[in-house]
C-alpha cells in the first residue's frame, strides 16, 4: 500500500529549493539575548508586571482554560469586563471577544456578508481577512483602498443590495494607513458597511484607540476588529461595533459559537494591558519607528512598522540570518505573505526601545544590506 502522503516529501524539497522553507526558532524563557525588532509587542506590555500578575491571578481564580465555548461554559465576568473596557476604550457601543484576531475577522466578515453581497477588500488585506472573504461566498473585488474613485465606482455599479468594504487600518507588511474617513464617507453614500482591522492601530495610532477618527468610531455602519496579541501583549481578538452587530455575531458567527472561549488568563492580561495604554507609551512607539526609518533612509512610517524593501526573497532570508548572527531579530516577509519579488525585512519597534538599541538595530540592518548587496 502506498503512503497517501508521500507527496509531502517532494513538496517540502520543492519549497526548500525555492527558498520558501520555514523554520521555528523557539525563544527560551528569561531575558532575551537578542535585540528584538520583530515582535508585535508594540507597547512592551507582554512582560509588564501588572499584565503578568493579572494573568497569573486569573488562572488561580478561574482556571487555566475557559472550559468551553462562550455560549456554554466559557464566558466569565472577566470576558464581560474586558468587552466593556474594549468598547469604552475604542469609542464603540459594544465589543465581543473571540479567541484570536484571526477568528474575529473571519466571524465578522462572514456574518456581515454572504451570498448576494459584494465585498471590496483592500489589496494589502491581512491573510485572515482574505480567508474570511473566501469563506463568505460573497462576490469579492480586490482593489487598493487608496484608489477612492475606483472603489466608489465599483460600489455604485454593483447589482448586490448589500456591500462591505474591508481593510486593515494599518497594513501589516508596510505600516501604511488607510484613508478611513474618506472610506467611511464613500461607503455610507453607497449604502455599504465598512469593516476596519485595527490589529496594528490599537495602542499605536492616534491616542492609542486605533487609527479610526473619533468622529466615526460610534457609527452603526462601522465595524472594527482588534487583536489582543499585539499592543495588549496578550492573546485573543475582538469585534467592536454596535450592539446590533454584537448580537448578530453571538447568534451567527461560527468562529464564536464553535470555538473554545478565550482563556481567562489571556482575558485578564488584555484587561490589565488596556489600563496601561497611556499617551506617553503611544508616542514612544511612533517616535521609535520614525527614528528607525530615518536612520535607514526610509520614508517616515505611520505606526510601529518599518518596512525595509529587499525584493528577492533569498536575499531577504540571508539578510535576516545575518541580522540574527549579529544579535538582532528582524522579521522577514516572503511569499505568500507578500507578492513574488516584494520580499522585505519587517522591523517593528516597541515603546521601551532605547535610542542606543534603535541605533544598533539600524547599524545591523545596514550591515546586512551591505553584506548581501
Ligand atoms: C492585520 C492583522 N489582522 C489580524 C491578525 C490576526 O490576529 P491574531 O494574531 O490575534 O489572530 C494579524 C496578526 O497576526 C494581523 O496582522
Amino acid at each position: 500500500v502506498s503512503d497517501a502522503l508521500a507527496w509531502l516529501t517532494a513538496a517540502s524539497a520543492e519549497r526548500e529549493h525555492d527558498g520558501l522553507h520555514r523554520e521555528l526558532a523557539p525563544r527560551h524563557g528569561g531575558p532575551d539575548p537578542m535585540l528584538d525588532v520583530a515582535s508585535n509587542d508594540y507597547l512592551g506590555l507582554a512582560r509588564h508586571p501588572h499584565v503578568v500578575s493579572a494573568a497569573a491571578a486569573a488562572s488561580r481564580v478561574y482556571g487555566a482554560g475557559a472550559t468551553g465555548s462562550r455560549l456554554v461554559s466559557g464566558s466569565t465576568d472577566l470576558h464581560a469586563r474586558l468587552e466593556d473596557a474594549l468598547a469604552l476604550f475604542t469609542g464603540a457601543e459594544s465589543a465581543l471577544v473571540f479567541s484570536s484576531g484571526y477568528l474575529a475577522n473571519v466571524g465578522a466578515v462572514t456574518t456581515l456578508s454572504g451570498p448576494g453581497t459584494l465585498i471590496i477588500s483592500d489589496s494589502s488585506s491581512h491573510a485572515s481577512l482574505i480567508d474570511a472573504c473566501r469563506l463568505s461566498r460573497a462576490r469579492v473585488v480586490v482593489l487598493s483602498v487608496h484608489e477612492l474613485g475606483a472603489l466608489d465606482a465599483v460600489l455604485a455599479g454593483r447589482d448586490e443590495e448589500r456591500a462591505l468594504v474591508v481593510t486593515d487600518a494599518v497594513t501589516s507588511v508596510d505600516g501604511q494607513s488607510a484613508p478611513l474617513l474618506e472610506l467611511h464617507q464613500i461607503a455610507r453614500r453607497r449604502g455599504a458597511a465598512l469593516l476596519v482591522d485595527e490589529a496594528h492601530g490599537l495602542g499605536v495610532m492616534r491616542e492609542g484607540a486605533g487609527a479610526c477618527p473619533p468622529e466615526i468610531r460610534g457609527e452603526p455602519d462601522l465595524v472594527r476588529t482588534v487583536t489582543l496579541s499585539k499592543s495588549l501583549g496578550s492573546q485573543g481578538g475582538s469585534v467592536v461595533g454596535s450592539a446590533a452587530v454584537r448580537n448578530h455575531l453571538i447568534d451567527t458567527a461560527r468562529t464564536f459559537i464553535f470555538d473554545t472561549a478565550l482563556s481567562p488568563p489571556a482575558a485578564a492580561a488584555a484587561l490589565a494591558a488596556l489600563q496601561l495604554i497611556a499617551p506617553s507609551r503611544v508616542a514612544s512607539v511612533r517616535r521609535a519607528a520614525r527614528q528607525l526609518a530615518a536612520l535607514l533612509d526610509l520614508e517616515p512610517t505611520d505606526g510601529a512598522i518599518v518596512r525595509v524593501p529587499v525584493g528577492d526573497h533569498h536575499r531577504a532570508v540571508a539578510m535576516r540570518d545575518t541580522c540574527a548572527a549579529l544579535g538582532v531579530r528582524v522579521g522577514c516577509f516572503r511569499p505568500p505573505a507578500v507578492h513574488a519579488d516584494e520580499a522585505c525585512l519587517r522591523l517593528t519597534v516597541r515603546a521601551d526601545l532605547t535610542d542606543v538599541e534603535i541605533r544598533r538595530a539600524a547599524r545591523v540592518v545596514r550591515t546586512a544590506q551591505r553584506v548581501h548587496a
Side-chain angles (χ1 to χ4, degrees), residues 1-2 4 20 36 79 118 140 150 173 233 261 271 285 288 302 312 319 343 366-367:
V1 188
S2 64
L20 296 174
D36 177 55
H79 293 81
L118 167 70
V140 181
V173 180
L271 188 56
V285 187
D302 290 331
D312 175 56
M319 286 172 65
R366 280 210 179 274
T367 303

Side-chain angles (χ1 to χ4, degrees), residues 40 42 98-105 124-129 167-173 197-201 225-230 234-238 305 333 346:
N40 297 315
Y42 299 137
F98 287 66
S99 62
S100 77
Y102 201 114
L103 295 178
N105 273 342
S124 297
S125 283
H126 185 258
S128 54
L129 289 176
T167 185
D168 288 358
V170 177
T171 56
S172 51
V173 180
D197 179 346
E198 287 272 20
H200 301 280
T225 57
V226 299
T227 173
L228 314 180
S229 66
K230 301 191 193 301
S234 179
Q235 189 92 33
S238 181
I305 298 166
F333 276 32
R346 177 183 183 264

Side-chain angles (χ1 to χ4, degrees), residues 270-303:
L271 188 56
L274 261 184
Q275 329 294 329
L276 292 165
I277 298 185
S280 59
R281 274 187 213 280
V282 176
S284 302
V285 187
R286 292 224 297 274
R287 197 170 43 242
R290 280 195 302 273
Q291 201 181 334
L292 184 56
L295 287 167
L296 291 167
D297 291 326
L298 296 167
E299 291 290 309
T301 175
D302 290 331

